[in-house]
Amino acid sequence: MDFGDRPPMKVITKGPIQVYQMDEASEGIALFPLPLPKLQQYQHELIRPHRHDHYTGFFLEEGTITTRIDCQPVIINKTSFLLSYPGQIHQVGSAHPCKGWILGFDAKLIDESVRHLFEQSLSRLLLLRLDEGEQAWFKTMLGLLYVALHENKTAIFRQKLIQTLLNGFIYRVAAIFQRQLDDRIRDYSTRHLEMTRKFRQLLTQQVFTCKQPSLYAQQLNVSTSHLNDTVKSVTGFSVTYHIQQSVLAEAQRLLVYTDLSIQEIAIRLGYEDAKYFIRLFGKGAGLSPTKFRKNTR
């Protein structure tokens, strides 16, 4: 693999939001060192909002990167490791002179139990704190993986070695994530956790008929601001964000797996005004419902 010019990915443009897909020649995994050679040739692409159809990890040995993940500002340095989920929107703000690694891999390459741990987390932002020992371990493992990826493709057991190194790395990420998640949960009162879980349960049951944060707050007998602060402190995202994401996910399912018209889907999701639903969907998905259905199918 030659990463000298640009990462082994291809860009699929869907409306204003570009989608970066893993190149078929990458075998579902890409690892490239920072700083990237000839970065200036495509730096403008990185600062535009874009998505990846795969997991993406950022690990720095030196320097700092500021970025936004689903509109949430994130700062990455050598004491942290960021793993973004497929479909999340990235927008790089600045990358001060830095040294490190960017790892991309398909979800199908990692253990299902680990994937469930990531995807079922209350937080949609997986940002780990690393101590010096963990930083050294990450650096060593990513270096070994980089060497394995650059071996001759005919080398015996090459693919097995790559798979083993990737899974070993992700298992360590998962272990640190679970430990820090447990620590984080202990930092919150039982009431905060219980309120967040009750909100999520109500959201699942009522999202298509109840889209105002204030209505959920009334049912939980708290103020709207208190509910929002509580949910955001536990999950990292506001009540409004959770509502919008739940509606968007169901709209996408109906567009892909049914033949309902856009008007019918809007009504089913609780929107009498189809034009408003179309604008809302476009803002969240980056393209219109019609284009999403056409491209996905």
Side-chain angles (χ1 to χ4, degrees):
M1 300 180 186
D2 181 7
F3 302 160
D5 291 327
R6 59 175 300 119
M9 300 175 191
K10 56 183 178 180
V11 180
I12 306 298
T13 301
K14 295 182 178 179
I17 307 295
Q18 291 183 332
V19 179
Y20 286 75
Q21 290 186 340
M22 198 75 69
D23 192 281
E24 294 177 1
S26 69
E27 303 171 290
I29 179 173
L31 176 65
F32 41 95
L34 296 173
L36 292 172
K38 304 180 181 178
L39 177 64
Q40 66 276 11
Q41 291 188 6
Y42 55 95
Q43 189 171 17
H44 66 284
E45 298 177 17
L46 299 177
I47 62 176
R48 294 176 58 186
H50 61 277
R51 304 176 191 265
H52 298 165
D53 71 340
H54 49 273
Y55 284 95
T56 307
F58 300 83
F59 172 67
L60 296 184
E61 299 172 31
E62 299 174 7
T64 301
I65 292 177
T66 61
T67 185
R68 298 180 75 86
I69 305 294
D70 286 341
C71 300
Q72 183 171 352
V74 181
I75 298 176
I76 311 166
N77 54 38
K78 70 176 185 178
T79 64
S80 58
F81 173 77
L82 173 68
L83 183 66
S84 70
Y85 299 86
Q88 290 188 310
I89 297 179
H90 299 237
Q91 187 172 15
V92 177
S94 63
H96 301 292
C98 56
K99 177 182 178 183
W101 302 90
I102 299 179
L103 170 68
F105 57 92
D106 287 339
K108 64 185 178 183
L109 294 182
I110 63 174
D111 185 277
E112 186 175 1
S113 61
V114 173
R115 192 166 69 249
H116 287 169
L117 172 66
F118 293 156
E119 294 174 354
Q120 293 176 7
S121 167
L122 285 174
S123 175
R124 291 297 294 166
L125 185 63
L126 201 160
L127 183 65
L128 305 181
R129 303 180 304 275
L130 304 179
D131 60 30
E132 290 185 2
E134 290 162 345
Q135 294 168 34
W137 192 91
F138 274 46
K139 178 180 177 180
T140 299
M141 284 295 291
L142 290 172
L144 291 172
L145 182 57
Y146 187 75
V147 171
L149 285 166
H150 281 75
E151 282 188 336
N152 191 306
K153 288 192 175 184
T154 61
I156 187 170
F157 300 131
R158 174 181 176 275
Q159 196 59 42
K160 290 284 187 181
L161 176 59
I162 292 172
Q163 183 72 53
T164 300
L165 289 170
L166 175 64
N167 274 280
F169 181 80
I170 298 303
Y171 280 134
R172 185 65 180 272
V173 169
I176 297 172
F177 173 66
Q178 184 63 67
R179 186 189 73 236
Q180 294 184 0
L181 182 62
D182 291 342
D183 292 341
R184 194 169 150 220
I185 287 175
R186 282 194 292 270
D187 290 339
Y188 300 120
S189 67
T190 302
R191 176 171 171 76
H192 278 196
L193 291 170
E194 187 62 23
M195 185 183 298
T196 300
R197 291 191 177 103
K198 285 183 177 179
F199 161 68
R200 293 286 291 269
Q201 184 178 15
L202 290 173
L203 180 62
T204 300
Q205 297 168 348
Q206 304 176 19
V207 65
F208 307 130
T209 56
C210 181
K211 297 185 177 63
Q212 298 299 321
S214 59
L215 298 179
Y216 291 100
Q218 289 174 14
Q219 295 180 73
L220 294 170
N221 297 313
V222 297
S223 68
T224 303
S225 61
H226 180 66
L227 175 62
N228 190 67
D229 290 344
T230 299
V231 171
K232 190 170 184 179
S233 70
V234 175
T235 69
F237 294 94
S238 67
V239 170
T240 298
Y241 174 85
H242 285 285
I243 294 171
Q244 292 174 344
Q245 290 301 304
S246 294
V247 172
L248 180 62
E250 182 62 17
Q252 291 173 332
R253 295 185 193 107
L254 294 174
L255 287 166
V256 174
Y257 297 112
T258 77
D259 291 321
L260 294 173
S261 67
I262 305 301
Q263 175 74 41
E264 290 171 327
I265 291 175
I267 292 174
R268 180 167 295 197
L269 296 178
Y271 300 100
E272 294 296 331
D273 185 350
K275 291 183 178 179
Y276 175 76
F277 163 70
I278 292 171
R279 290 197 301 273
L280 192 67
F281 185 93
K283 184 177 179 181
L287 69 169
S288 70
T290 301
K291 288 184 178 179
F292 176 85
R293 169 174 273 173
K294 181 180 178 181
N295 290 352
T296 306
R297 287 184 170 181

